[in-house]
Amino acid sequence: MLIKSPHDIPSDEITPEKIYLSRRQFMGAAGLFAAGSAVAQPAEKKLPSPPSSPSKTGNELEYLRSHAKSPAGFYTAEKQTPYKHATTYNNFYEFGTGKGDPARYAHEFNPSPWSVRIEGEAQHTGTYTLEDILKPHSLQERIYRLRCVEAWSMVIPWIGFPLGDLLRRFEPNSRAKYVHFTTVHAPKSMRGQRAIFGSIPWPYVEGLRMDEAMHPLTIMVVGMYGKIVPVQNGAPLRLIVPWKYGFKSIKSIVKIRFTEHRPQTTWERSAPREYGFYANVNPQVDHPRWSQASERRLPSSLFSPNRIPTQLFNGYAEQVASLYKGMDLRKFF
Amino acid sequence: MWIKPFIFTLSLLPLAEVLWRLVNDNLGPDPARTLALETGIWGLYFLLMTLAVTPLRRLSGWSPINRIRRMLGLFSLFYASCHLFIYLAFILVWNFAEFATELAERPYILAGFTAWVLMLPLGITSTHGMIKRLGKKWKKLHRTIYFIAPIVILHFVWLSKTIERPALYGILLAVLLLFRLLPTTGKSVWALITHRVSKHFH
């Protein structure tokens, strides 16, 4: 079987606007993000690099392309959602509840400089610049299905690295049973957070069980479609957990906390009957107000709703079902 | 009079806007949903405007406003009908078995459909002939809108992930309905106030 080298792939295969970022270019951008933060955050620390940080030469592409021979689950040949739609049809209530609001108001928010605070049950805690967070990780592409709890889905080529690789660098201790994530709280530049009449408590928080966080399918994302991830999609650093409903994949992360106890997530808090901690994609467990048995793969058109059956664990059952062995998925929804 | 054709033209603008977006392929990745949302919300806006006519007349004493009430009500029914048509045609693709399941299992679908069915007779009996023929019964029949409007709000609450917007329109509706509990005097509230004030100063 021929494995295409990245140079053989026509540049319009993913998106006409595709930009091949070299590692150097990307780190330059990350450096820009980090530039001001050294002043703003005097407590930043240097992290130990993982033992096997693959070395790269400057000419290589920034990220490893995903393809049919990638490990199971890392790639899908399904038709990708056009970049235009994936970046203009978003749920990011920090910018408003309309699907177009995040793209419309993203310019009001500046994701640089950026730093992430690490807290809780780990050897290394403190505040780290985005550059420090990203430095040792080589980027790779993952083409994942994204299933929203609202019963629509997309296929998106993300660029990032395994969350587990990042978490291991902080050396979580034996009490670290859960990972708790927090989105930036910036009401001055995120208009959804300053809505007078709001039902969502900010900042947005999410969490994973340690084994879910360490699973190779769980990634930290910094890019999509070959580009740096846009603000409306969660710049500069977001999570992707492809077998869970989209709201688990928290955006614009500023804090990661290792905890012994299960965190209460934002949606769990606002509607505990409707959104659970696990939020695994499951066609058999309906949302109390609508069915989860099928989904509309976007883009759809007026005369073809593009409705397809939803798969257990969003089609990643082979990789993740063992995490939930013996659990009642109706109870732990 | 200029007011009717003017309001009529204005009322068609939301439809024109979505049709313009449709021909320009600018409805986003889920055009059916966008069309359903836009027409649905305009159905509600026109319903609220219809119910605002009487309070506005009583506040202002400007009775010509009554002349546009029927048109606003019919536009509410018109947008609600577009909303239902889009749902049936482009989301369910005329699968009536599925529509039955949705009605049975999704309270928000049941609420929305019920509201539309109950609004139909109001639209049908909105002509001059019907008003004459039904006499006193006409007013009774058309007062059912006070019950239908909260069902519309319920439809909106049940389909929303967050409560903010439906709650906002729910409060607006409550204000409009509560206004009707105020005693009627035949005079505008404005006239009453100015009367009081002038008495005070003389």
Side-chain angles (χ1 to χ4, degrees):
Chain A
M1 155 119 200
L2 171 81
I3 299 173
K4 280 182 175 177
S5 94
H7 301 284
D8 297 329
I9 298 169
S11 60
D12 59 355
E13 195 161 280
I14 282 205
T15 159
E17 302 162 80
K18 185 163 168 36
I19 294 169
Y20 288 93
L21 286 173
S22 72
R23 180 173 179 82
R24 206 174 276 165
Q25 279 174 304
F26 185 82
M27 292 320 292
L32 274 182
F33 283 152
S37 60
V39 186
Q41 306 279 350
E44 276 143 17
K45 296 178 180 176
K46 284 270 171 266
L47 266 181
S49 292
S52 60
S53 174
S55 62
K56 291 200 149 201
T57 68
N59 289 337
E60 275 182 14
L61 288 175
E62 166 53 20
Y63 62 96
L64 195 65
R65 294 290 298 249
S66 146
H67 50 75
K69 289 278 184 179
S70 299
F74 287 18
Y75 170 85
T76 173
E78 289 159 272
K79 194 170 188 290
Q80 288 171 20
T81 302
Y83 179 81
K84 179 183 85 176
H85 292 322
T87 55
T88 55
Y89 193 83
N90 307 99
N91 276 331
F92 196 175
Y93 284 10
E94 279 79 349
F95 290 105
T97 53
K99 296 281 184 285
D101 288 344
R104 193 171 302 130
Y105 303 121
H107 67 274
E108 296 174 352
F109 176 72
N110 180 8
S112 63
W114 197 264
S115 57
V116 181
R117 184 151 186 87
I118 309 296
E119 295 179 350
E121 306 290 350
Q123 183 69 34
H124 306 283
T125 56
T127 303
Y128 302 96
T129 62
L130 183 64
E131 194 185 24
D132 266 347
I133 293 282
L134 301 182
K135 208 183 289 169
H137 302 282
S138 54
L139 299 179
Q140 45 182 286
E141 180 186 51
R142 299 285 178 93
I143 304 176
Y144 282 159
R145 292 174 287 274
L146 174 80
R147 170 62 156 83
C148 179
V149 74
E150 296 164 350
W152 53 267
S153 63
M154 293 184 176
V155 175
I156 298 176
W158 301 106
I159 294 161
F161 52 92
L163 173 67
D165 289 354
L166 173 67
L167 297 186
R168 271 186 284 272
R169 287 164 60 200
F170 307 116
E171 297 179 33
N173 63 38
S174 60
R175 283 183 304 275
K177 303 265 169 37
Y178 294 91
V179 195
H180 189 165
F181 303 89
T182 307
T183 293
V184 67
H185 186 234
K188 277 189 184 141
S189 46
M190 292 176 138
R191 54 175 65 213
Q193 289 183 335
R194 56 173 191 261
I196 311 157
F197 194 51
S199 63
I200 294 179
W202 306 112
Y204 192 80
V205 294
E206 257 305 337
L208 292 173
R209 221 168 55 188
M210 205 61 182
D211 57 346
E212 296 175 323
M214 292 296 181
H215 193 280
L217 284 179
T218 306
I219 55 169
M220 269 301 190
V221 161
V222 295
M224 60 195 286
Y225 299 83
K227 304 181 188 193
I228 291 177
V229 68
V231 166
Q232 62 268 36
N233 294 82
L237 189 69
R238 68 165 298 173
L239 185 71
I240 285 291
V241 196
W243 70 93
K244 292 176 181 284
Y245 292 120
F247 68 84
K248 291 294 291 183
S249 294
I250 185 169
K251 302 184 181 87
S252 306
I253 297 166
V254 291
K255 193 162 87 180
I256 300 175
R257 184 180 178 84
F258 297 95
T259 60
E260 193 170 5
H261 303 288
R262 193 172 95 180
Q264 193 187 35
T265 68
T266 296
W267 280 109
E268 233 184 327
R269 248 174 94 181
S270 358
R273 240 172 37 83
E274 304 192 340
Y275 309 98
F277 174 78
Y278 286 96
N280 290 318
V281 175
N282 190 336
Q284 264 115 52
V285 180
D286 280 350
H287 185 280
R289 291 179 287 141
W290 57 80
S291 166
Q292 297 292 25
S294 66
E295 64 203 51
R296 278 139 48 76
R297 176 61 55 83
L298 303 185
S300 60
S301 75
L302 274 193
F303 296 100
S304 98
N306 223 5
R307 196 186 287 220
I308 56 173
T310 289
Q311 305 175 73
L312 181 61
F313 297 115
N314 203 20
Y316 300 98
E318 203 185 304
Q319 290 82 39
V320 302
S322 60
L323 296 174
Y324 310 102
K325 218 157 68 188
M327 275 175 69
D328 179 356
L329 296 177
R330 279 178 191 283
K331 192 173 162 208
F332 298 100
F333 58 92
Chain B
M1 178 118 174
W2 58 273
I3 189 166
K4 275 192 173 178
F6 177 69
I7 298 293
F8 186 85
T9 313
L10 270 188
S11 303
L12 283 173
L13 287 182
L15 180 71
E17 197 252 341
V18 288
L19 290 178
W20 180 251
R21 283 167 68 191
L22 177 67
V23 296
N24 286 293
D25 190 23
N26 195 19
L27 288 170
D30 201 350
R33 180 181 177 276
T34 309
L35 284 180
L37 286 185
E38 291 289 336
T39 49
I41 199 73
W42 279 99
L44 174 60
Y45 291 160
F46 276 99
L47 180 56
L48 293 173
M49 286 189 264
T50 311
L51 288 168
V53 167
T54 299
L56 283 178
R57 189 202 64 225
R58 285 182 55 196
L59 283 172
S60 67
W62 190 56
S63 53
I65 196 175
N66 260 5
R67 267 179 257 166
I68 63 164
R69 190 172 66 174
R70 170 171 46 197
M71 194 191 292
L72 294 176
L74 284 171
F75 267 110
S76 177
L77 179 60
F78 169 71
Y79 280 104
S81 306
C82 291
H83 178 65
L84 176 65
F85 171 78
I86 288 156
Y87 168 70
L88 291 175
F90 304 129
I91 294 179
L92 295 186
V93 208
W94 303 115
N95 184 341
F96 286 104
E98 199 170 333
F99 184 47
T101 319
E102 292 277 292
L103 278 175
E105 289 182 11
R106 318 274 156 236
Y108 77 94
I109 301 282
L110 183 65
F113 188 64
T114 305
W116 180 80
V117 168
L118 293 176
M119 272 171 85
L120 268 186
L122 308 192
I124 292 165
T125 59
S126 66
T127 59
H128 279 297
M130 277 297 199
I131 296 172
K132 273 190 194 148
R133 200 177 312 167
L134 289 174
K136 274 191 175 168
K137 274 184 257 170
W138 189 89
K139 208 163 199 178
K140 243 185 198 169
L141 175 65
H142 281 252
R143 277 190 174 152
T144 55
I145 197 68
Y146 302 154
F147 301 97
I148 299 170
I151 301 175
V152 173
I153 297 292
L154 206 56
H155 167 65
F156 196 11
V157 168
W158 280 341
L159 68 86
S160 301
K161 249 163 80 186
T162 52
I163 193 78
E164 291 89 333
R165 278 190 86 199
L168 177 68
Y169 301 126
I171 291 167
L172 241 162
L173 174 67
V175 169
L176 294 176
L177 293 185
L178 286 173
F179 190 90
R180 288 164 164 84
L181 297 178
L182 293 178
T184 48
T185 57
K187 276 185 183 167
S188 80
V189 175
W190 179 244
L192 284 177
I193 292 169
T194 46
H195 180 68
R196 271 256 172 101
V197 170
S198 60
K199 243 177 35 188
H200 187 80
F201 283 103
H202 284 287

